[in-house]
RNA sequence: GCCGAAGUGGCGGAACUGGUAGACGCGCCGGAUUCAAAAUCCGGUUCUGGCAACAGAGUGGGAGUUCGAUUCUCCCCUUCGGCACCA
């Protein structure tokens, strides 16, 4: 409730006092940063983005006296080791010193006003040149005693550090550009430790590694760490400065001027101040008969609702008319979901039991804000004793966006009309690439605009319900899970959906053909023919792989591919091999069980068709029969000088000598080895042989 | 500019810990079935040469490590995502 819309956050701290009891995300900045290391099952990209967003830096705050006396100029720097190279100072246009001088100097005032205006348009800022004006005052370098001019400059931010900097053009990109433009001196004070030459007049040199201080009086000849510590210690001893950690992360208000959303349960009393609404009066219910006038918040106009007696003293008081922003609720709903029926309090012990969430799924667009807020709220709730863990989400999966083909026509005045891929029959060129299409409604051609993110503007959104009506929910889910791993973008294609549909039909037919042959009989693993053993091994290998893909890797596409392979193997087997019903039954059950989380409806019908009791989604994940995985013989690849030259089949228990003998006996291998000296023989058990000649 | 991820057939993707590149699917080509079409089934499908067996090339480009590199190291290019004057 600390910040109205339109407030510049940098001015916030200056202009409004924040009560001590306010909960601030900045108070948790260190913990939010450090605990990222605990989130080993989060994507590295998300952790990096959060780390950069929090933006911790270690530096020193130093007071520079002004030659004219008065309040010293306080600056923040991460490079106290370069202080002897400071040839000017710079302050932000909102800095108190700039404001003070503006009052007597219209040119400075105009410059500051101009910068503030320019700052509003973000597009201009990108290429904005560094500009500034001398303020006509000088500062005194506390170590060298040198007098240097103070500028107001557009590149200094009021919202970071102290809004004032010492400028070291030899060792900072921005300061260098500024110094070149205004002809300010550029003085080198650090040098490569290996003695190599650099030219700081042409280009700044900013390295913290392998450097040594130069031209720095008593502080010359030091490494970065030594110089930092000795200079910081000196300032702290004098009371002129101190070490300080700064964060890029800023506090942000939770209130919005809306007539909807979650009410903020606070009443303002002239004598008692802000008073929480008593628990017995919760929840605060917003009025529904508001009228939106376009002016202030419509709630402020609801006099009957706004004016209430103070819960403390009973005198006339006013309700808070702002409401919470939506991120307030989305930051802790996962904990409330563990105890949704709890009336007496916000959360109960079930929240501790169920959190942290084992697996959280969301778009990459939430990588920073939502996930940072939720982490912050979780720590707040922990400190209130509402949950007993440090982090809300143990494992995070960020799924990709959905793309689709887009088709358009260009009209007479150059505008483009976009047509839904569902209304277009695509055309392919000789290579099978989509080259264009025909609009179904008028038979006329349309242009192909490639794949892009589903959007209204390109009219390429696909309503899943249309696909579900056409192919069924299981088919659509199978397609979605099969087309790409979840964290990658998903390209919608109706022919892909048809492929999933074909697979389910094939599986359906195979199961029903199978059950018509006879009743379920018992599997006798010891009495199987070699082809039967092969199919059974394939089934259990598939089960092993799919379990790992779904459980550990979250690559559902490869689990589905493995199930498809198994069905192909069953069909080949069933076509050639009489008997083996029990092996086929087992393999079909494995496919149905693997796919049950993805295609539960079809899976349930097939499970029952296979003569099995209960619901397929209630079945335990089947156990892999290790003995089914055993092989009597293995096929090895034979390479000569790393190139594939043949394949051999050897007993699984064959020794190195036997394997090598078999490899050398392979006719095609002999062609390449014949008459040459064998220099090296590499045998990778179960995989390959490499002969080096 | 900085940070992060990625670059593999006509397309989506697979190859998990350095060990058979292209699984699985789409598309395409050929065949069966059909009066015909749809659906279904069978075969083929990285490129080049060859009837074939097979050979050569090949995972964005260039170097390197290794018996062996899509995978590891260095440099460069491109694409996507994030941040963007953070001192």
């Amino acid at each position: 409730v600390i910040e109205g819309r339109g407030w510049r956050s940098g001015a916030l701290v200056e202009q409004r006092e924040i009560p001590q009891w306010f909960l601030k995300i900045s108070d948790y900045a260190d913990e939010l940063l450090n605990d990222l290391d605990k989130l080993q099952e989060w994507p590295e990209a998300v952790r990096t983005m959060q780390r950069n967003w929090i933006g911790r830096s270690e530096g020193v705050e130093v007071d520079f006296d002004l030659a004219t006396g008065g309040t010293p100029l306080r600056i923040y720097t991460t490079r106290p080791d370069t202080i002897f190279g400071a040839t000017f100072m710079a302050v932000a246009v909102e800095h108190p010193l700039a404001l003070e001088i503006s009052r007597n100097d219209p040119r400075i005032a105009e410059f500051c006003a101009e910068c503030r205006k320019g700052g509003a348009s973000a597009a201009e800022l990108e290429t904005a040149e560094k500009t500034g004006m001398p303020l006509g005052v000088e500062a005194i370098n506390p170590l060298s005693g040198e007098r240097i001019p103070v500028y107001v400059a557009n590149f200094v931010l009021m919202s970071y550090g102290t809004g004032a900097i010492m400028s070291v053009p030899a060792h900072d990109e921005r300061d260098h550009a500024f110094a070149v433009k205004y002809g300010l001196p550029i003085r080198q004070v650090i040098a490569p430790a290996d003695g190599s030459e650099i030219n700081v007049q042409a280009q700044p040199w900013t390295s913290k590694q392998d450097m040594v201080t130069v031209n720095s009086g008593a502080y010359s000849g030091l490494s970065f760490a030594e110089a930092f510590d000795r200079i910081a210690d000196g300032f702290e001893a004098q009371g002129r400065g101190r070490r300080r950690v700064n964060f890029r992360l800023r506090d942000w208000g939770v209130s919005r001027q809306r007539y909807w959303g979650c009410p903020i349960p606070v009443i303002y009393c002239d004598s008692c101040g802000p008073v929480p609404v008593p628990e017995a009066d919760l929840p605060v219910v917003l009025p529904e008969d508001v009228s939106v006038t376009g002016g202030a918040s419509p709630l402020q106009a609801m006099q009957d609702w706004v004016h209430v007696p103070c819960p403390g003293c009973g005198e006339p008081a006013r309700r808070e008319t702002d409401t919470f922003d939506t991120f307030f609720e989305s930051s802790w709903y996962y904990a409330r979901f563990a105890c949704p029926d709890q009336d007496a309090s916000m959360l109960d012990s079930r929240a501790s039991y169920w959190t942290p969430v084992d697996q959280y799924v969301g778009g990459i667009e939430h990588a920073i804000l939502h996930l940072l807020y939720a982490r912050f709220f979780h720590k707040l709730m922990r400190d209130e004793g509402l949950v007993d863990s440090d982090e809300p989400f143990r494992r995070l999966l960020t799924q990709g966006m959905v793309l689709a083909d887009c088709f358009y026509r260009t009209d007479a005045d150059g505008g483009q009309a976009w047509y839904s891929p569902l209304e277009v029959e695509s055309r392919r060129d000789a290579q099978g690439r989509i080259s264009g299409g025909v609009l179904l409604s008028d038979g006329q051609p349309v242009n192909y605009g490639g794949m892009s993110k589903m959007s209204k503007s390109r009219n390429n959104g696909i309503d899943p319900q249309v696909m579900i009506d056409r192919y069924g929910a299981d088919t659509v889910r199978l397609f979605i899970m099969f087309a790409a791993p979840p964290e990658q973008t998903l390209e919608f294609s109706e022919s892909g959906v048809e492929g999933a549909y074909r697979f389910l039909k094939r599986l359906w037919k195979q199961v029903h053909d199978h059950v018509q042959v006879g009743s379920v009989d018992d599997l006798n693993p010891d009495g199987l023919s070699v082809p039967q053993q092969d199919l059974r091994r394939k089934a259990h290998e598939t089960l092993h792989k799919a379990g790992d893909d779904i459980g550990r890797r979250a690559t559902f596409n490869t689990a589905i591919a493995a199930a498809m392979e198994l069905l192909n193997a069953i069909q080949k087997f069933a076509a050639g091999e009489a008997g083996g019903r029990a092996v086929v039954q087992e393999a079909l059950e494995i496919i149905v069980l693997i796919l049950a989380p993805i295609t539960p409806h079809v899976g349930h019908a097939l499970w029952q068709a296979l003569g099995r009791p209960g619901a397929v989604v209630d079945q335990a994940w089947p156990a892999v029969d290790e003995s089914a995985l055993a092989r009597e013989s293995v096929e090895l690849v034979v390479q000569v000088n790393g190139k594939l030259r043949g394949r051999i089949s050897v007993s699984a228990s064959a020794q190195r000598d036997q394997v090598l003998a078999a490899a050398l006996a392979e006719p095609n291998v002999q062609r390449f080895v014949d008459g040459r000296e064998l220099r090296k023989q590499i045998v990778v058990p179960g995989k390959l042989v490499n002969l080096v000649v």
Side-chain angles (χ1 to χ4, degrees):
Chain A
V1 203
I2 53 180
E3 179 191 7
R5 282 181 129 183
W7 283 86
R8 291 191 59 139
S9 54
L12 169 69
V13 180
E14 311 296 325
Q15 303 192 6
R16 295 237 191 145
E17 221 167 282
I18 301 177
Q20 281 298 307
W21 48 269
F22 264 67
L23 299 168
K24 303 204 300 279
I25 196 168
S26 57
D27 292 337
Y28 287 79
D30 255 320
E31 193 189 348
L32 288 166
L33 180 69
N34 294 335
D35 283 0
L36 286 172
D37 295 336
K38 293 183 187 168
L39 301 173
Q40 288 302 314
E41 293 182 274
W42 279 37
E44 186 55 43
V46 174
R47 293 195 289 154
T48 305
M49 277 191 245
Q50 294 220 345
R51 220 170 266 131
N52 292 343
W53 188 262
I54 295 168
R56 183 181 198 273
S57 77
E58 287 180 15
V60 175
E61 231 172 47
V62 194
D63 292 336
F64 279 58
D65 291 328
L66 297 180
T68 49
T71 315
L73 187 57
R74 177 168 292 182
I75 61 105
Y76 174 76
T77 180
T78 56
R79 299 301 301 268
D81 55 311
T82 64
I83 192 165
F84 283 85
T87 54
F88 65 101
M89 313 288 287
V91 301
V93 295
E94 303 97 337
H95 192 275
L97 183 63
L99 297 175
E100 186 192 321
I101 292 174
S102 291
R103 278 197 284 276
N104 303 317
D105 188 336
R107 285 170 49 246
I108 299 290
E110 194 189 338
F111 172 81
C112 292
E114 197 60 34
C115 286
R116 262 182 267 206
K117 209 179 353 164
S121 67
E124 279 177 316
L125 240 168
E126 271 182 40
T127 48
E129 205 184 330
K130 290 175 184 28
T131 57
M133 284 183 77
L135 286 173
V137 292
E138 286 183 320
I140 299 167
N141 187 318
L143 292 189
S144 68
E146 184 183 13
R147 290 186 168 212
I148 53 178
V150 181
Y151 278 71
V152 58
N154 67 342
F155 70 92
V156 181
L157 304 175
M158 192 61 218
S159 54
Y160 186 80
T162 62
I165 59 169
M166 66 172 196
S167 287
V168 185
H171 308 296
D172 182 278
E173 301 270 356
R174 296 149 302 176
D175 298 348
H176 192 272
F178 194 86
V180 167
K181 179 168 178 184
Y182 293 104
L184 293 159
I186 299 169
R187 190 189 311 139
Q188 181 179 353
V189 291
I190 58 174
D194 63 8
S196 57
E197 291 290 318
I198 52 169
N199 178 7
V200 296
Q201 301 300 325
Q203 203 184 328
W205 191 72
T206 60
S207 178
K208 282 184 188 178
Q209 271 96 50
D210 302 319
M211 55 139 270
V212 59
T213 52
V214 295
N215 302 327
S216 297
Y219 296 94
S220 296
L222 304 178
S223 70
F224 171 76
E226 289 165 347
F228 187 107
D229 281 336
R230 285 179 53 180
I231 291 170
D233 288 346
F235 285 144
E236 284 178 353
Q238 284 176 43
R240 179 174 285 286
R242 59 196 164 96
R243 287 177 172 82
R244 179 168 155 186
V245 173
N246 253 331
F247 293 94
R248 188 188 165 281
L249 180 69
R250 295 183 305 216
D251 291 312
W252 209 253
V254 296
S255 63
R256 297 293 179 265
Q257 287 71 55
R258 292 172 179 152
Y259 63 89
W260 52 272
C262 182
I264 297 172
V266 168
I267 293 168
Y268 297 99
C269 171
D270 286 338
S271 37
C272 307
V275 181
V277 174
E279 289 199 17
D281 295 343
L282 294 177
V284 172
V285 178
L286 295 178
E288 293 184 20
D289 54 342
V290 298
S291 50
V292 180
T293 58
S297 165
L299 290 179
Q300 283 178 8
M302 305 302 290
Q303 298 296 318
D304 292 347
W305 181 77
V306 170
H307 293 286
V308 288
C310 171
C313 63
E315 292 298 304
R318 303 169 316 281
R319 287 188 187 280
E320 170 63 58
T321 57
D322 282 3
T323 59
F324 283 121
D325 187 28
T326 50
F327 80 70
F328 201 88
E329 292 82 48
S330 64
S331 298
W332 67 285
Y333 74 97
Y334 60 89
R336 176 67 188 185
F337 278 15
C339 37
D341 52 358
Q342 173 57 255
D343 291 334
S345 66
M346 179 174 150
L347 300 175
D348 62 31
S349 60
R350 288 173 289 177
S352 283
Y353 175 81
W354 286 107
T355 62
V357 175
D358 295 292
Q359 173 74 64
Y360 201 56
V361 181
I364 188 74
E365 68 273 18
H366 294 125
I368 297 176
L369 293 185
H370 165 61
L371 288 168
L372 193 65
Y373 293 153
R375 294 182 59 221
F376 168 47
F377 272 55
H378 197 80
K379 291 173 192 301
L380 291 179
M381 293 192 291
R382 175 203 61 195
D383 292 347
E384 284 295 309
L386 292 166
V387 294
D388 61 4
S389 47
D390 294 329
E391 285 287 335
F393 312 124
R394 182 171 293 147
R395 193 177 187 202
L396 174 67
L397 184 132
T398 50
Q399 91 269 27
M401 322 177 281
V402 185
L403 316 183
D405 291 316
C406 32
F407 297 94
Y408 66 96
R409 281 182 192 154
T410 308
D411 54 31
D413 43 324
Q416 283 169 335
W418 297 89
Y419 299 95
S420 164
L422 296 180
E423 296 164 358
V424 172
E425 192 182 315
S426 57
R427 291 284 142 90
R428 290 168 186 277
D429 62 18
Q431 290 189 304
R433 228 187 303 241
I434 296 181
S435 56
V438 169
L439 190 64
L440 293 173
S441 57
D442 63 10
Q444 297 302 305
V446 291
N447 300 315
Y448 181 54
M451 278 272 176
S452 71
K453 182 179 172 179
M454 282 190 184
S455 69
K456 265 186 193 148
S457 61
R458 300 223 172 162
N459 193 20
N460 65 339
I462 309 290
D463 181 355
Q465 192 60 49
V466 174
M467 289 293 111
I468 290 169
D469 291 345
R470 203 173 288 178
Y471 299 99
D474 281 0
T475 296
V476 176
R477 282 154 54 111
L478 184 67
F479 162 72
I480 291 171
M481 302 306 269
F482 178 62
E487 65 275 9
Q488 273 182 47
T489 55
L490 171 70
E491 297 193 359
F492 173 81
S493 92
E494 188 159 0
S495 49
V497 177
E498 280 167 2
Y501 190 56
R502 266 199 291 274
F503 168 73
L504 288 179
K505 280 196 294 188
R506 257 191 326 127
L507 178 61
W508 185 277
K509 183 167 184 301
Q510 191 64 40
V511 167
H512 286 86
D513 286 354
H514 167 75
V515 295
Q516 273 184 351
V517 178
S519 57
V520 182
D521 46 3
D522 289 334
L523 180 70
N524 174 16
D526 299 326
L528 300 179
S529 68
V530 169
Q532 289 168 359
Q533 282 177 20
D534 287 345
L535 181 62
R536 185 147 194 269
R537 184 184 314 110
K538 179 80 180 167
H540 281 268
E541 282 171 353
T542 303
L543 178 58
H544 177 77
K545 175 172 175 49
D548 190 45
D549 287 350
I550 294 173
R552 178 181 63 91
R553 301 175 64 208
T555 53
F556 310 106
N557 56 329
T558 51
I560 293 166
M564 288 173 166
E565 270 190 80
L566 180 54
L567 179 62
N568 291 344
I570 292 171
Q571 288 189 318
K572 279 210 175 68
F573 175 89
E577 186 76 5
R581 261 194 55 79
V583 176
V584 172
Q585 172 84 21
E586 185 191 33
L588 287 170
E589 285 180 11
I590 283 175
I591 293 184
V592 169
L593 288 168
I594 287 172
L595 294 177
I598 297 160
T599 58
H601 309 93
V602 169
H604 185 71
L606 294 181
W607 185 247
Q608 302 215 313
L610 286 164
R612 299 307 230 132
V616 72
V617 293
D618 291 336
Q619 304 308 308
W621 189 262
V624 175
D625 182 349
E626 297 292 336
S627 67
L629 301 179
R631 292 170 179 274
E632 281 181 11
S633 69
V634 288
E635 188 179 72
L636 299 185
V637 165
V638 184
Q639 299 177 336
V640 179
N641 291 338
K643 275 190 187 295
L644 175 61
R645 297 302 182 188
R647 295 165 200 278
I648 53 171
S649 185
V650 297
S651 157
S653 59
Q655 298 301 301
R656 182 183 160 91
D657 290 351
Q658 296 168 284
V659 171
L660 280 173
L664 286 164
E666 210 279 334
N668 199 45
V669 172
Q670 282 186 330
R671 285 177 49 208
F672 288 89
V673 176
D674 190 36
R676 302 211 253 171
E677 190 197 347
L678 269 179
R679 293 195 295 155
K680 206 162 183 178
Q681 299 143 49
I682 289 139
V683 178
V684 182
K687 297 262 183 187
L688 58 71
V689 178
N690 190 13
L691 305 168
V692 184
V693 294

